[in-house]
Amino acid sequence: MTPPYALSRLLIYLVLSVGAIAMAFPFYWMLATSLKSPQEAQQARPIWVPERLKPANWRVAARLGAEGGSPLWGGYQDGRSVTLRIYTGRMGPEPQVFIPTAVGAFSDPRAEGTQIRTRYQEDHWEITFTNVSGESFRLLPAVVLLSKSYASYRPELPPDAVRSSGDDWRLEWVNLAPGALGYVFHNYREAWLAAPFGRYFFNSFITAGTQVLVGLLLAAMTAFALARIEFPGKNLVWLMILATLMIPGEVLLIPSYILLSRLEWINTYYALVVPWLASVFGIFLLRQFYLSLPRDLFDAARMDGASYWTQLVRIALPLSIPGLVTYGIFTFLGAYNALLWPLIVTDRPEMYTIQRGLQVFIGEAGSDYGALMAASTLAILPIVLGYFLAQKQFIQGVARSGIK
Amino acid sequence: MAVLLALVRLAVALELLPPWAYGVGAILLLGVTLEAMFRGFQAALLPGIGLLLVGIGWGYGNTPAVLLALLGVGALYWAWAPRMSEREQASFWGWVLVWPSLGLLLVWQIFPSLYALWLSFLDRFNFIGQSRFAGLLNYEILLTRDPLFWKAMGNTFWFVIFTVPLGILLATVVAILLNERVRLLGFFRTLYFLPYITALTAAAAVWDWIYHPEFGFLNWVLGTPGLDWLSTPQGIFALAMAPLGIHLQGFWAGPSVAFVAIMVMSLWHLLGYQVVVILAGLQNIPKEYYEAAQLDGASWWQQQRYITWPLLSPTTFFLSTLGLIGAFQVFTQVLIMTPTGGVLQDTLTITLYLYNKGFRDSDFSYASAIAVVVFTVILVLTLVQQRVLERRVNYET
């Protein structure tokens, strides 16, 4: 007999939830890490909620950002002063403050053109940075050396890193004038500016978009002809398309690369798009669909003098929109998520697709896991957003691929 | 007439062949057209043919030429259409609609496959210097003297053994549970499905971070600080047997810890796809069967065992074929998580090896030999699988 109803329901939900948590965890971890400072990310004990996600810090970040530039994105503009308070409760040794200079830089106008003033007020140290360099900067990094003789201390904005340095605590901020968004999305902004991600996205969308649009048209034309037009040689064509189905992708890598380099198409959109325009999968899918449409529909149109082209455009295409969407989603996913092909046919950053760019970025970012996870999040964002917009089509499209 | 039309189409397709083919095509076409004109057709044929030839002759690299050629076809059709019979129109349109895809498939799939076969017989083909015909030398080295190839084949084997049955089993369990009229179905389905649409590059970066030896989440959960998952080349069977005093070597040591880590990640990535496909398969099973079984007093387990599982077999068959082919294509996650193929090449996969040989060592002919061998293996395996499993697959409908 079946176990008691309520208990079995509970069990179902329990198993499903445990599985769902395991499936979703990497996404949570990616998002959380992308909002962490390096020191937060590199903890032996994981930090579940990063400082940058706490609203109290956003307010301070917005104020500091407004002092240096704008409340949203911050900045350290010429002539502005940014003031940070560190609550210590009593007046002890004066903290030492400086702006870290880039390693190996000959001169650093930001560090040299900043007047730093520290004074004690009531219960806190007030540190004021004034930009007199005549230039504006995006970030204001700062280091404060605070004596360990203070029993407790609380800076308004939590430092991104706290280290021990002799008799002092070394408090480090990557950006003291971040603004609210600049604070939360620090890693995103830095990752975005570290590599031409805008260009990568553009390339990805152009490539995937062209593949979908042109590929759809070609597949629909071929499928329609194979399903609905009697022409000599049709069986031969069909046989050839069936034969193509057996060729695995790896076989094509080397010869296609040689072909493309003979054509001097390496590092062009042609190389990214043209070899994948004709899709046997799409032809199969749509042919099946057109075969299932009633014959009379087309015969009637033929009687009324509609040419085959008109039949295709006016009858077949509108009726096959579900199939077209399925194929379109698959093609877009495949093109957008591909790494191997862009890896082979592009070696100049201006032609990288987003996945190729991300792969290079992973190699370069080293141990900056915050920026790495931020870049990864950016790379998957368009597809995830698209999924939430067209959830039904995604699921149906994938499900349909399994039903033959 | 149909033959003439086929010739028109052929000439258009010829634009993808070497230059001399233009000439042959053009002469053929012109001759045919002149003959048709003498037979008393409209003179309007001539401009159409002219446009077509000019367009093609210009070359396929530039857009105006292609447009011109298309215009030529259009003009031809316009001139010819009133005189065409129903059958001729059908054949004209059939070929016109088919040739773009067909041409692309010929040039980018069928021709390259044959070219790969040819390359594999050459001696060290790269763009520098002359390559000689070397017969089966590459195959001989590959199959008898190349431990790395067998390492990669072994890894692919383990990948199939571990991920395909486990993935299908897990996905079936999840799908059956989801099919029990669960509330929040959309929510659960989304969570299971999201990894599949996530780009492997980004997903592999995240898992790399989870597997991090010092700060990775996994080591914190398991309480194994410092364990470097992705740089541990010991086989898991060897590790499991070591305390018993049994020392396994080579293939029998099993997949390395690093490769198991990669397989877990791959399982996570593909599970959502399998769940959605199996869920669709479940919904195709008529409800009446379950109702009848319930009337006969079948338990829930019996229903799953004797109704769901057999009737799901076409779907599981499809998924296992896909998993088998997919195992030979594992590349992205390995490249991201172990860029060089791991310690002692312990995470090497077939596609990564092919990529290394072709694009890092510039030995295109050897890489082509790998590709041909893979092609053959996949073909044989799918045929065997069809033969063996097809008999057990239960096709309803």
Side-chain angles (χ1 to χ4, degrees):
Chain A
M1 275 307 292
T2 48
Y5 185 72
L7 192 71
S8 68
R9 296 302 284 179
L10 193 71
L11 206 66
I12 289 178
Y13 282 108
L14 201 69
V15 172
L16 281 180
S17 302
V18 169
I21 288 171
M23 295 301 281
F25 177 78
F27 290 103
Y28 163 75
W29 201 234
M30 173 171 70
L31 274 176
T33 308
S34 75
L35 298 172
K36 284 176 184 173
S37 65
Q39 202 182 34
E40 274 183 316
Q42 302 187 357
Q43 290 291 324
R45 280 184 67 82
I47 290 173
W48 295 97
V49 182
E51 287 292 337
R52 288 178 189 162
L53 266 186
K54 296 179 180 163
N57 294 332
W58 300 350
R59 223 186 49 242
V60 181
R63 202 208 77 218
L64 290 169
E67 287 178 5
S70 85
L72 286 185
W73 287 106
Y76 185 45
Q77 288 172 7
D78 184 31
R80 298 290 192 97
S81 295
V82 176
T83 306
L84 174 81
R85 298 190 192 95
I86 300 179
Y87 297 91
T88 55
R90 65 180 180 87
M91 186 166 163
E94 188 180 336
Q96 288 169 278
V97 184
F98 59 93
I99 292 178
T101 50
V103 179
F106 182 65
S107 77
D108 189 340
R110 181 166 51 192
E112 284 151 20
T114 295
Q115 284 177 353
I116 300 173
R117 206 161 43 107
T118 52
R119 57 179 180 160
Y120 193 76
Q121 298 273 20
E122 292 168 50
D123 59 346
H124 61 265
W125 283 100
E126 210 171 81
I127 303 164
T128 308
F129 301 84
T130 308
N131 187 346
V132 292
S133 65
E135 291 175 53
S136 293
F137 304 97
R138 193 161 51 78
L139 304 173
L140 170 60
V143 173
V144 173
L145 294 173
L146 193 70
S147 169
K148 282 179 179 171
S149 64
Y150 288 108
S152 71
Y153 64 91
R154 187 178 65 80
E156 275 179 304
L157 193 70
D160 295 304
V162 181
R163 295 173 216 283
S164 177
S165 163
D167 290 335
D168 297 314
W169 293 114
R170 186 188 160 99
L171 315 180
E172 296 175 7
W173 286 266
V174 287
N175 188 6
L176 254 187
L181 294 175
Y183 179 64
V184 178
F185 297 113
H186 176 80
N187 287 328
Y188 288 84
R189 182 162 62 162
E190 293 312 300
W192 182 270
L193 294 171
F197 278 105
R199 175 80 198 192
Y200 298 164
F201 272 116
F202 177 78
N203 289 341
S204 270
F205 279 111
I206 285 282
T207 313
T210 320
Q211 264 187 48
V212 170
L213 291 181
V214 181
L216 273 183
L217 183 69
L218 293 188
M221 280 163 49
T222 312
F224 177 76
L226 288 173
R228 283 282 164 241
I229 304 178
E230 292 304 322
F231 61 94
K234 181 166 140 176
N235 288 334
L236 195 74
V237 173
W238 183 232
L239 212 66
M240 223 150 79
I241 291 178
L242 280 174
T244 318
L245 200 61
M246 295 193 305
I247 303 172
E250 303 97 307
V251 176
L252 304 176
L253 291 178
I254 303 281
S256 296
Y257 174 78
I258 294 173
L259 222 61
L260 288 170
S261 56
R262 291 258 161 86
L263 285 170
E264 295 181 352
W265 274 8
I266 299 296
N267 281 315
T268 62
Y269 288 121
Y270 291 127
L272 287 168
V273 173
V274 174
W276 304 109
L277 276 183
S279 148
V280 183
F281 168 66
I283 294 173
F284 255 82
L285 193 89
L286 292 171
R287 175 177 172 272
Q288 209 68 19
F289 195 88
Y290 292 143
L291 281 176
S292 72
L293 294 177
R295 219 203 143 73
D296 304 347
L297 204 63
F298 296 97
D299 289 343
R302 193 82 194 123
M303 291 296 167
D304 292 343
S307 74
Y308 285 106
W309 181 254
T310 321
Q311 286 181 36
L312 171 65
V313 174
R314 304 290 279 281
I315 305 176
L317 277 184
L319 282 176
S320 62
I321 282 177
L324 293 177
V325 169
T326 300
Y327 171 59
I329 286 175
F330 260 89
T331 311
F332 195 91
L333 266 182
Y336 184 89
N337 287 347
L339 174 67
L340 182 51
W341 191 251
L343 186 64
I344 288 172
V345 300
T346 61
D347 55 20
R348 285 213 310 261
E350 63 266 31
M351 289 310 299
Y352 285 176
T353 61
I354 180 71
Q355 307 306 339
R356 175 79 166 104
L358 182 63
Q359 184 241 345
V360 172
F361 188 74
I362 290 169
E364 286 168 353
S367 63
D368 190 356
Y369 289 99
L372 208 68
M373 293 300 111
S376 302
T377 311
L378 285 176
I380 66 170
L381 202 61
I383 295 286
V384 173
L385 285 182
Y387 171 78
F388 282 113
L389 287 179
Q391 208 174 38
K392 217 177 100 195
Q393 281 78 8
F394 261 83
I395 298 282
Q396 281 177 353
V398 169
R400 197 171 284 131
S401 79
I403 303 168
K404 291 217 166 177
Chain B
M1 189 78 114
V3 180
L4 302 191
L5 292 167
L7 273 175
V8 171
R9 180 250 150 218
L10 194 65
V12 180
L14 274 177
E15 70 182 46
L16 297 150
L17 282 178
W20 53 263
Y22 296 153
V24 177
I27 290 165
L28 267 176
L29 205 65
L30 211 62
V32 163
T33 317
L34 286 176
E35 198 206 328
M37 276 178 65
F38 284 129
R39 286 229 207 108
F41 282 120
Q42 288 184 10
L45 282 180
L46 209 52
I49 289 289
L51 276 177
L52 182 66
L53 290 182
V54 170
I56 294 168
W58 205 330
Y60 55 92
N62 58 14
T63 327
V66 175
L67 287 179
L68 221 58
L70 286 179
L71 214 66
V73 178
L76 267 178
Y77 177 68
W78 178 75
W80 230 325
R83 291 169 178 279
M84 279 207 278
S85 72
E86 181 67 12
R87 257 189 53 219
E88 287 156 354
Q89 275 205 19
S91 60
F92 174 83
W93 276 111
W95 279 105
V96 162
L97 293 179
V98 154
W99 83 257
S101 293
L102 196 65
L104 283 167
L105 287 178
L106 272 175
V107 173
W108 294 109
Q109 307 250 339
I110 293 176
F111 170 70
S113 311
L114 300 174
Y115 192 40
L117 191 65
W118 165 244
L119 280 176
S120 70
F121 294 133
L122 296 181
D123 169 39
R124 254 202 107 76
F125 177 92
N126 48 31
F127 290 102
I128 317 145
Q130 284 287 317
S131 52
R132 289 174 299 113
F133 186 81
L136 294 171
L137 183 64
N138 284 322
Y139 293 98
E140 199 243 305
I141 298 175
L142 185 67
L143 295 174
T144 59
R145 283 185 271 159
D146 189 348
L148 281 183
F149 172 73
W150 290 108
K151 179 91 210 167
M153 279 305 242
N155 274 339
T156 305
F157 173 79
W158 290 125
F159 194 91
V160 174
I161 292 295
F162 277 69
T163 60
V164 173
L166 199 60
I168 290 177
L169 191 73
L170 282 178
T172 310
V173 170
V174 172
I176 286 178
L177 293 183
L178 281 179
N179 205 29
E180 291 283 321
R181 288 184 298 283
V182 178
R183 268 185 225 180
L184 298 173
L185 172 68
F187 171 73
F188 279 123
R189 199 174 48 189
T190 300
L191 284 185
Y192 282 102
F193 188 63
L194 268 187
Y196 175 65
I197 54 170
T198 306
L200 264 174
T201 319
V206 176
W207 279 82
D208 195 25
W209 172 226
I210 290 176
Y211 287 137
H212 194 281
E214 285 171 79
F215 316 118
F217 185 81
L218 190 67
N219 278 336
W220 178 76
V221 169
L222 298 179
T224 52
L227 177 52
D228 196 349
W229 296 90
L230 295 172
S231 314
T232 308
Q234 283 88 7
I236 54 160
F237 296 159
L239 282 179
M241 289 300 175
L244 303 176
I246 306 168
H247 294 283
L248 297 171
Q249 293 287 323
F251 176 77
W252 296 109
S256 68
V257 173
F259 199 63
V260 171
I262 287 173
M263 287 196 279
V264 169
M265 184 263 159
S266 311
L267 204 62
W268 169 81
H269 182 253
L270 208 62
L271 190 68
Y273 174 75
Q274 294 168 331
V275 167
V276 168
V277 170
I278 292 179
L279 204 57
L282 284 179
Q283 276 153 8
N284 276 355
I285 299 176
K287 294 275 171 290
E288 292 80 27
Y289 293 173
Y290 293 103
E291 287 161 10
Q294 273 165 2
L295 283 181
D296 291 345
S299 76
W300 188 80
W301 288 110
Q302 284 172 331
Q303 288 174 37
Q304 305 309 326
R305 169 68 187 80
Y306 294 107
I307 301 176
T308 311
W309 185 250
L311 288 185
L312 213 54
S313 54
T315 312
T316 40
F317 177 68
F318 166 75
L319 286 178
S320 59
T321 310
L322 216 64
L324 185 71
I325 297 173
F328 284 90
Q329 293 171 339
V330 176
F331 174 76
T332 306
Q333 57 268 57
V334 182
L335 184 79
I336 300 292
M337 290 161 89
T338 55
T340 54
V343 181
L344 306 175
Q345 303 279 299
D346 65 317
T347 57
L348 197 67
T349 60
I350 286 287
T351 307
L352 183 66
Y353 189 46
L354 195 155
Y355 174 80
N356 280 346
K357 275 292 168 198
F359 298 97
R360 285 183 176 157
D361 299 351
S362 303
D363 191 345
F364 290 122
S365 44
Y366 197 74
S368 296
I370 299 174
V372 172
V373 170
V374 169
F375 177 47
T376 320
V377 170
I378 291 183
L379 199 67
V380 170
L381 279 182
T382 32
L383 287 180
V384 168
Q385 202 191 12
Q386 298 250 331
R387 276 287 162 80
V388 175
L389 286 181
E390 188 91 325
R391 267 184 253 147
R392 294 163 174 262
V393 169
N394 213 326
Y395 286 107
E396 195 62 16
T397 59

